[in-house]
Amino acid sequence: RALLVRRGGALRALCGSVRGLAAGQETHFGFQTVTEAERREKIYQVFESVAKKYDIMNDSMTLGIHRVWKDILMHKMNPSPGTLLLDVAGGTGDIAFRFINYVRSVRERQLQRKLKHHQNLSWQEISESYQEDKFKSLGDSQVVVCDINKEMLKVGKQKAQHLGYSEGLSWVLGNAEELPFDDDKFDVYTIAFGIRNVTRIDLALQEAYRVLKPGGRFLCLEFSHVSNPLLSRLYDLYSFQVIPVLGEVIAGDWKSYQYLVESIRRFPPQEELKAMIEDAGFLKVDYQNLNLGIVAIHSGFKL
């Protein structure tokens, strides 16, 4: 009888585990407790809802400072012509466009130095050399924008067309937790204000490591944790009392921006994220706080 009781208990436990797996592991959506499947669906709906007003809201929420943060990320990357970049969760193209501009600027300086050191060239030779290099303004550089949300990609493609970006740029629908790319493919992987919306950060980091070439670099720009107590209180007041109101006024969407604020508070602090990046296999991992930790840039290398 005791054996049957033990077996019955084990069977019930096994059935409970199966049901738990079917329902999905619990996680969080802002301050709510949900299953992983529910979280993915809810986050998809958030970005589908805010896509068209995403850039305007970024400017409004950060007073335009997000542009400076992204510029700092690009200077930290310091890409050279020929770099192959994967920008994940970058649907609206902010990082991709900066990358193209940066590489073009580097190529232009290289061309000027090249012509400066060939003073004996004729005008025709200089003109031909300039035209030839101009057609290769990115020097074989490529940026692949990968985003899980079709609406965000649609907005990015429209911006690219409007701003005249086409060379060296491609758009791919894909999940950060299961990237549709081969191993050892990219020189740099970036994810800006996207990793906190990934359901399984550990899987996303493993995928980042997988698709990077040996020697490749991981760069993550994300809202983080403020160390100064006074600033932290002011930041909380602004985040919870102002940002959802802006979301309602500008985008007609209070709930999505309430979630975005809550997601920042639930995101791992700098040292914890650093440890997660190291657990994924990256070396020389460090981070740089910007604006006293309102955001941070994490960096690591696949060596």
Side-chain angles (χ1 to χ4, degrees), residues 107 111 114-115 128-139:
R107 285 283 293 170
L111 176 58
K114 175 183 174 182
L115 296 179
E128 289 174 354
S129 178
Y130 184 82
Q131 290 300 323
E132 180 182 345
D133 284 321
K134 189 176 180 181
F135 283 117
K136 300 177 182 178
S137 62
L138 291 178

Side-chain angles (χ1 to χ4, degrees), residues 97 154-166 169 171:
F97 303 153
K154 181 179 176 181
V155 170
K157 290 176 183 178
Q158 290 171 346
K159 281 173 62 181
Q161 187 175 13
H162 176 71
L163 296 171
Y165 293 102
S166 58
L169 176 62
W171 308 85

Side-chain angles (χ1 to χ4, degrees), residues 121-187:
L121 291 178
S122 68
W123 170 83
Q124 187 176 1
E125 289 171 325
I126 291 174
S127 178
E128 289 174 354
S129 178
Y130 184 82
Q131 290 300 323
E132 180 182 345
D133 284 321
K134 189 176 180 181
F135 283 117
K136 300 177 182 178
S137 62
L138 291 178
D140 297 324
S141 291
Q142 293 277 335
V143 53
V144 178
V145 179
C146 180
D147 201 296
I148 197 171
N149 193 283
K150 293 179 181 178
E151 284 300 311
M152 294 289 280
L153 285 173
K154 181 179 176 181
V155 170
K157 290 176 183 178
Q158 290 171 346
K159 281 173 62 181
Q161 187 175 13
H162 176 71
L163 296 171
Y165 293 102
S166 58
E167 180 194 5
L169 176 62
S170 57
W171 308 85
V172 175
L173 186 68
N175 186 346
E177 299 171 41
E178 194 175 353
L179 293 170
F181 307 109
D182 294 336
D183 297 356
D184 307 327
K185 183 175 179 64
F186 297 95
D187 299 301

Side-chain angles (χ1 to χ4, degrees), residues 77 244 282:
M77 184 195 304
F282 290 101

Side-chain angles (χ1 to χ4, degrees), residues 51-260:
K52 292 179 181 177
K53 297 289 185 178
Y54 186 77
D55 290 330
I56 297 173
M57 276 301 298
N58 277 349
D59 282 332
S60 301
M61 288 189 301
T62 69
L63 305 177
I65 300 173
H66 75 100
R67 298 173 182 270
V68 177
W69 296 333
K70 290 167 183 173
D71 288 340
I72 293 172
L73 175 70
M74 194 53 54
H75 283 278
K76 193 174 184 72
M77 184 195 304
N78 190 24
S80 57
T83 298
L84 183 57
L85 168 66
L86 173 63
D87 183 38
V88 175
T92 58
D94 274 8
I95 300 302
F97 303 153
R98 280 171 170 78
F99 172 80
I100 291 172
N101 291 342
Y102 195 98
V103 173
R104 281 177 177 169
S105 178
V106 172
R107 285 283 293 170
E108 183 69 24
R109 291 196 298 272
Q110 288 178 344
L111 176 58
Q112 290 174 356
R113 285 196 299 268
K114 175 183 174 182
L115 296 179
K116 187 177 180 180
H117 287 92
H118 290 82
Q119 297 290 346
N120 58 339
L121 291 178
S122 68
W123 170 83
Q124 187 176 1
E125 289 171 325
I126 291 174
S127 178
E128 289 174 354
S129 178
Y130 184 82
Q131 290 300 323
E132 180 182 345
D133 284 321
K134 189 176 180 181
F135 283 117
K136 300 177 182 178
S137 62
L138 291 178
D140 297 324
S141 291
Q142 293 277 335
V143 53
V144 178
V145 179
C146 180
D147 201 296
I148 197 171
N149 193 283
K150 293 179 181 178
E151 284 300 311
M152 294 289 280
L153 285 173
K154 181 179 176 181
V155 170
K157 290 176 183 178
Q158 290 171 346
K159 281 173 62 181
Q161 187 175 13
H162 176 71
L163 296 171
Y165 293 102
S166 58
E167 180 194 5
L169 176 62
S170 57
W171 308 85
V172 175
L173 186 68
N175 186 346
E177 299 171 41
E178 194 175 353
L179 293 170
F181 307 109
D182 294 336
D183 297 356
D184 307 327
K185 183 175 179 64
F186 297 95
D187 299 301
V188 183
Y189 172 114
T190 53
I191 183 165
F193 302 117
I195 200 165
R196 77 179 188 282
N197 298 308
V198 171
T199 299
R200 290 283 304 276
I201 295 175
D202 57 335
L203 293 183
L205 292 172
Q206 290 168 21
E207 281 291 273
Y209 187 88
R210 179 183 67 79
V211 300
L212 279 170
K213 298 175 183 177
R217 189 176 193 183
F218 168 87
L219 285 166
C220 170
L221 172 64
E222 187 54 86
F223 288 108
S224 202
H225 289 248
V226 178
S227 55
N228 182 286
L230 176 60
L231 179 60
S232 180
R233 285 195 292 272
L234 292 173
Y235 183 41
D236 278 347
L237 184 66
Y238 174 77
S239 297
F240 287 100
Q241 301 301 321
V242 177
I243 289 178
V245 176
L246 287 174
E248 180 65 29
V249 171
I250 296 173
D253 192 340
W254 178 294
K255 288 184 178 180
S256 292
Y257 286 94
Q258 180 72 26
Y259 155 72
L260 291 174

